[in-house]
Amino acid sequence: MPEANATVIATYSRRMRLRLPDDSEVDARIKGKKLKPVCGDRVAAEELADEADRLITAIAPRDNELTRPNLRGEPEVLAANVDLLVVVAAALPAPDWFVVDRYLAAAEIMRADAMVVYNKADIEAPDTATLSVYEKLGYPSLVTSAETGQGIDELRHRLADRIAIVVGQSGVGKSSIINELMGSELQKTAEISTKHREGRHTTVNSVMIPLDAGGNVIDSPGVRDYAPALESSAAAAAGFREILAASEHCRFANCRHMQEPGCAVKAGVEDGSIDARRYESYRRIVITTEKLAEGRY
Ligand SMILES: Nc1nc2c(ncn2[C@@H]2O[C@H](COP(=O)(O)OP(=O)(O)O)[C@@H](O)[C@H]2O)c(=O)[nH]1
Ligand SMILES: [Mg+2]
Ligand SMILES: [Zn+2]
């Protein structure tokens, strides 16, 4: 491909905002229907003689992709080249830890790091027992409030030099946290989104924001629910590090850890070494993926 010379920092259906190597920004359109750049993509963007917009002609190979199944069950890419998923749950709406687990599974599958943020701590203190389950698995957890600023400095510190995406249910405070993280970038981003909101391009899918302390953070659109796009239910275990580790000791190599005899995962749930709710998350993903495969959704 022609050399990548820009990064996609915002997508508005078929229109893109790009960041150039000198940190300036330009708008771009896409050549042809087959190219589907997403936020985080490194792209080749040609200058055109007769327009201000650039033309995206190629997408560099992606390090990874954050995907979710669309309504037809086909994987849809939300962002690319991300190295940290910041999974946000909050006091309000009440935390759905199953959604958190599904995002963590996505992080495992795309080989990105992940952490859990409990926001709106000013409204209600977090369920520390649940957060400690994540800590023990190696997912750092952080308690924040975009309202009082609690935990924001530490989060900024953790995002330095990372390309992070903030994910979680609508209304948990993703955009508010990012606003708190931003220093002088705040104004610039507000300008971009205002300009586009007033124009023809009303649906902003995701936006990548550079942080003064280094690093980039992607704000993703709110979703009611999330599930990683999986090729088959066998891939679900890869999303749960403790289940993957235990599965080496299952009697059968193709154990689904549902009701097979000699299953080390079920044994781990019984002896408490695997958290029962995490296991329930795994089971739900297996069942959903099998239903999708059978075309029952
Ligand atoms: N009390 C309180 N409200 C918050 C906090 N963070 C966000 N909110 C509010 O929650 C609502 C949803 O926030 P928003 O950032 O749009 O959530 P998003 O959908 O995840 O991006 C807004 O009314 C925010 O003002 C917080 O830490 N504490
Ligand atoms: Mg938002
Ligand atoms: Zn098993």
Side-chain angles (χ1 to χ4, degrees):
M1 69 169 273
E3 204 179 331
N5 58 358
T7 303
V8 176
I9 58 166
T11 57
Y12 313 86
S13 73
R14 293 292 288 172
R15 303 246 316 162
M16 312 267 126
R17 183 87 175 161
L18 305 181
R19 188 192 300 153
L20 302 176
D22 67 359
D23 280 342
S24 65
E25 294 174 8
V26 289
D27 290 323
R29 58 189 178 84
I30 307 160
K31 185 176 186 177
K33 287 254 183 285
K34 274 195 286 181
L35 279 183
K36 293 193 169 79
V38 298
C39 201
D41 263 326
R42 297 177 288 258
V43 296
E46 278 174 21
E47 283 185 83
L48 299 172
D50 48 355
E51 6 175 335
D53 286 6
R54 294 229 180 175
L55 183 67
I56 299 174
T57 58
I59 304 172
R62 292 170 176 161
D63 298 337
N64 61 22
E65 299 176 332
L66 177 62
T67 57
R68 72 167 169 211
N70 66 17
L71 291 174
R72 274 162 291 150
E74 298 146 354
E76 176 188 38
V77 184
L78 298 177
N81 306 320
V82 172
D83 64 25
L84 173 67
L85 257 75
V86 178
V87 187
V88 183
L92 251 177
D96 185 337
W97 300 110
F98 293 106
V99 174
V100 170
D101 286 337
R102 290 197 284 273
Y103 276 115
L104 294 176
E108 294 295 334
I109 291 160
M110 71 191 283
R111 296 179 191 282
D113 292 334
M115 63 180 290
V116 177
V117 167
Y118 176 90
N119 187 43
K120 307 199 191 185
D122 57 291
I123 296 178
E124 196 177 314
D127 168 2
T128 48
T130 301
L131 293 182
S132 80
V133 167
Y134 293 120
E135 289 272 348
K136 281 189 201 124
L137 290 170
Y139 299 112
S141 72
L142 189 61
V143 177
T144 63
S145 167
E147 194 72 21
T148 67
Q150 179 185 350
I152 299 295
D153 281 340
E154 163 138 27
L155 182 58
R156 190 181 291 118
H157 181 73
R158 287 181 172 278
L159 298 189
D161 302 321
R162 309 299 301 260
I163 297 177
I165 184 165
V166 181
V167 295
Q169 289 175 282
S170 306
V172 292
K174 298 179 296 294
S175 301
S176 306
I177 289 171
I178 291 173
N179 278 339
E180 290 302 303
L181 288 170
M182 287 191 285
S184 61
E185 290 298 336
L186 180 57
Q187 190 119 30
K188 200 166 151 194
T189 311
E191 275 166 21
I192 303 173
S193 57
T194 308
K195 179 181 157 201
H196 283 271
R197 230 176 279 134
E198 286 168 355
R200 292 165 288 149
H201 322 290
T202 45
T203 42
V204 178
N205 297 319
S206 43
V207 192
M208 184 192 281
I209 299 146
L211 298 173
D212 284 347
N216 283 278
V217 62
I218 301 173
D219 191 1
S220 68
V223 288
R224 222 160 13 91
D225 196 359
Y226 174 78
L230 296 177
E231 275 162 40
S232 70
S233 61
F240 292 78
R241 29 176 89 163
E242 70 278 45
I243 290 175
L244 192 63
S247 70
E248 292 187 22
H249 306 290
C250 292
R251 185 178 305 163
F252 302 111
N254 62 352
C255 187
R256 288 156 67 246
H257 326 303
M258 298 294 271
Q259 61 251 317
E260 293 81 353
C263 175
V265 172
K266 294 221 73 165
V269 175
E270 269 149 40
D271 73 19
S273 59
I274 291 176
D275 180 72
R277 204 200 45 74
R278 285 273 297 169
Y279 173 70
E280 176 59 19
S281 269
Y282 164 80
R283 253 177 47 84
R284 290 186 187 187
I285 292 184
V286 170
I287 291 165
T288 309
T289 308
E290 289 177 352
K291 279 186 187 162
L292 267 178
E294 289 166 19
R296 282 202 276 146
Y297 273 168

